Each structure stands twice: as structure tokens, then as C-alpha cells.
Amino acid sequence: MVVSGDEVVSIEVDKSSGSNTQLNGTVLLPNTTDKTLMIQLDSGTVLTVDVSDANFTSTSGSSVSLGRLAAGDMVQVYGSYSGAKFVATLVLKIG
């Protein structure tokens, strides 16, 4: 991640083996107990994402964690499907 002052200029995501996917959506429910994030995708589909091993950041450069996300926040989630479950490696809060 490249930051200029308090603004994120760019983020580089390394593609590892497997199929990496980017999902865009709106936070419905962050669950700090289960370490999951329920989001509504831009398509309208509701998905629960495993964020137990994910890194969190924001486009504004501010500190973000699962506990700091709230319903209505816009996010981009990067990761891959493991069976029917989406496992995130990076959660980017937009704005």
C-alpha cells in the first residue's frame, strides 16, 4: 500500500495460487465473535465472509478493523471461495 499524507494512493494485491476474487458490497453486520462480515453484494446477494485471517485497511488511510466496520459501510473484499464459503485475505473500506 502506498500512502501520501492521509490518502491511500495505491494498493497492490499479490495473487497467490488459486482463484482470487474481488467482491464489492455494503456491510450489513460485522460479527467480531465469529470473525465474519455479512455483506450485500452490488448484485443484491447477501454473503457471509470469513475474515478471521484478513487484513483490514481503508481508502482514506484511517485505521480499520472488523470492530470498526458498521452497517452501511462500503467495502471491497478480496479472497477466494473455499467450497461455498468465501474466505477474505483483504477487506478495504471505501471512504
Side-chain angles (χ1 to χ4, degrees), residues 21-83:
T21 303
Q22 173 190 333
L23 303 175
N24 298 312
T26 304
V27 174
L28 297 177
L29 178 68
N31 187 325
T32 57
T33 302
D34 294 340
K35 296 187 179 177
T36 60
L37 186 61
M38 184 182 295
I39 63 173
Q40 182 171 17
L41 302 177
D42 291 345
S43 66
T45 302
V46 174
L47 180 68
T48 299
V49 178
D50 177 351
V51 295
S52 57
D53 292 324
N55 292 306
F56 291 82
T57 192
S58 74
T59 57
S60 68
S62 63
S63 177
V64 178
S65 65
L66 179 59
R68 289 185 176 214
L69 291 175
D73 287 342
M74 301 296 295
V75 292
Q76 287 182 342
V77 182
Y78 297 85
S80 59
Y81 284 94
S82 177

